[in-house]
Amino acid sequence: MRLRVLVLTNLFPTPWDPLRGAFNRQQFERLAQHHDVDVLTAVDFRERMAGVKGQVSVDGVRTDHFTFVYPPRIGRSLHAACWALSLWLQRGRRLRAAGYDCLLASWAYPDAAAAGWLARRLGIPYVVKVHGSDLNVQAEHALRRLQIRSALRGAAAVVTVSRALAEKAVALDAPRSMVHVLYNGVDPALFSPGSRSQARAHLHLPPDTPLVLYVGNLKESKGCLDLLEAFPALMAAQPAARLVYVGAGPCWGPLLERATALGFAERVHLVGAIPHDALGDWFRAADLLCLPSHNEGVPNVVLEAMACGTPVVATRVGGIPEVLPDVAGLLTPAHDRQALSGALVEASSCHWDREAIARQASAFRWDDNVSRLADILRDAAATAPAAARATA
């Protein structure tokens, strides 16, 4: 049965943030090969006011957006109500007429909390997909926790990207039988082993310099500042080492200021955000990927680096230990800069079997992911008559 699926999320590319949510883009693009998929993305009103940054075209997916409006400097516990009202006022008439079979909300708060209300109003079942800090951080706040719990309990299914997140969903009263662990996939056409020297030549990097790579948002909770503070230990062991950050975010300025204060700004390079399909050469060029996050689901950059045969140093948080075996990297406690320093030095001196690392990543396939997601959505859609009666 071909489904008509409505996806509601803030994690998807828009003209105001064309690089956002690459993992969702890959998943929904593949889902659209088998089902009719409409993705309606929430755009923060402040982001919209900042202006368009690029164009977005996603094969097979009908995309649209609405502006998420909320009163600034007011508690975030009101955001789900503002999200739902913004959506309904801007797109409610169209949504009522669309005849969707089910709804997929990708992100727990405010997206899923608001989507549960919308699904009941439309008389269709909904599935919640959670990613990491939506449960690890947002659910730690009492009023938001109540709304997230309600959204999970009312869903026809809950999809998590790790077993650790699945346990958090169950702790929030999601029925265990309705919770599905679904690891993200890796695109082998983009991420596979290759020549390091060729990758470095393409990126205009020195051919022999030890290179540690960070890929992700430049924000404190991702550990980017922890990595900077840990880096001098590696420079002491390997004086030519360089640290490259790929990404953008609020820590851009603090990273530069701190590197200057520590006296090694010339060894730190901030590349900025780059398109997802351009990351492969960065992973192949690096000696190590380091992602010392304070909380996580399962970050795709870890899987993608492994698929390129690149070892990973990461923190033992969220679902990272589930996907990063000893053969592919080292794990350290979050917030522990001394342990991170030691791991960087140890990993840089190890002889890594890059083919074995890539084999570990080959288990994470988008085809398998999307097939299972389609089954979950199909089962959810089968509950539609009961859902419709309940909301009549």
Side-chain angles (χ1 to χ4, degrees):
M1 177 179 72
R2 190 174 183 90
L3 300 176
R4 184 154 196 206
V5 181
L6 171 64
V7 178
L8 295 177
T9 187
N10 73 86
L11 291 172
F12 199 76
T14 69
W16 296 271
D17 192 353
L19 304 182
R20 186 170 178 81
F23 47 88
N24 270 348
R25 176 177 185 153
Q26 294 175 86
Q27 186 182 56
F28 301 155
E29 196 170 52
R30 287 166 172 80
L31 183 65
Q33 295 173 10
H34 309 284
H35 299 280
D36 299 325
V37 178
D38 291 2
V39 178
L40 185 50
T41 308
V43 179
D44 189 298
F45 77 97
R46 298 168 302 177
E47 184 176 62
R48 177 141 188 185
M49 291 170 62
V52 169
K53 296 180 181 178
Q55 298 300 314
V56 174
S57 177
V58 183
D59 290 345
V61 178
R62 288 182 290 270
T63 61
D64 195 6
H65 59 268
F66 69 96
T67 305
F68 171 32
V69 182
Y70 55 92
R73 293 182 293 276
I74 288 188
R76 293 193 65 178
S77 60
L78 299 176
H79 280 197
C82 294
W83 203 100
L85 185 60
S86 298
L87 170 62
W88 193 251
L89 291 176
Q90 295 172 51
R91 295 293 185 270
R93 180 178 298 179
R94 197 199 79 185
L95 295 177
R96 284 195 302 268
Y100 293 109
D101 295 302
C102 62
L103 186 157
L104 173 61
S106 180
W107 195 252
Y109 189 87
D111 310 39
W117 171 86
L118 176 67
R120 289 187 292 272
R121 192 167 182 87
L122 296 177
I124 60 174
Y126 69 97
V127 173
V128 176
K129 180 185 174 194
V130 295
H131 297 269
S133 59
D134 48 352
L135 295 193
N136 293 329
V137 177
Q138 298 292 344
E140 294 302 308
H141 300 267
L143 293 177
R144 283 174 249 170
R145 184 180 183 88
L146 290 173
Q147 296 175 70
I148 293 170
R149 175 183 284 119
S150 178
L152 298 182
R153 293 178 65 178
V158 177
V159 175
T160 74
V161 298
S162 71
R163 292 194 302 271
L165 272 182
E167 292 304 316
K168 292 211 168 187
V170 170
L172 285 164
D173 293 340
R176 187 176 291 275
S177 62
M178 307 298 288
V179 177
H180 306 267
V181 178
L182 196 56
Y183 296 105
N184 281 340
V186 177
D187 186 346
L190 299 176
F191 304 104
S192 59
S195 167
R196 179 187 298 178
S197 61
Q198 289 181 10
R200 290 197 176 195
H202 181 252
L203 297 171
H204 307 292
L205 296 171
D208 300 318
T209 298
L211 192 154
V212 176
L213 176 68
Y214 170 100
V215 178
N217 291 326
L218 301 184
K219 56 183 183 181
E220 190 171 357
S221 63
K222 288 288 187 180
C224 58
L225 293 171
D226 296 338
L227 174 56
L228 187 74
E229 298 288 347
F231 187 62
L234 180 59
M235 287 196 302
Q238 300 193 33
R242 293 190 181 191
L243 174 58
V244 175
Y245 288 90
V246 173
C251 283
W252 182 287
L255 283 168
L256 290 177
E257 293 171 7
R258 184 60 178 156
T260 299
L262 291 171
F264 58 85
E266 74 283 356
R267 295 293 179 187
V268 178
H269 305 274
L270 276 65
V271 175
I274 66 173
H276 181 253
D277 60 7
L279 286 175
D281 272 343
W282 284 102
F283 291 133
R284 286 183 283 269
D287 293 277
L288 299 170
L289 173 78
C290 185
L291 188 67
S293 299
H294 300 166
N295 61 80
E296 276 292 355
V298 173
N300 256 45
V301 294
V302 169
L303 301 179
E304 290 162 352
M306 289 168 56
C308 294
T310 302
V312 177
V313 173
T315 40
R316 192 178 286 104
V317 297
I320 295 177
E322 300 170 30
V323 301
L324 185 64
D326 293 343
V327 71
L330 301 177
L331 292 168
T332 71
H335 304 279
D336 190 335
R337 294 174 175 177
Q338 183 174 356
L340 182 60
S341 295
L344 289 174
V345 173
E346 180 182 352
S348 68
S349 63
C350 285
H351 175 71
W352 297 97
D353 185 338
R354 291 179 177 263
E355 291 184 0
I357 295 174
R359 283 196 298 273
Q360 292 293 323
S362 66
F364 301 97
R365 294 164 40 88
W366 276 121
D367 288 347
D368 297 337
N369 172 289
V370 170
S371 177
R372 288 192 58 206
L373 178 61
D375 288 343
I376 293 166
L377 295 173
R378 192 177 293 109
D379 289 345
T383 71
R389 285 196 300 272
T391 55

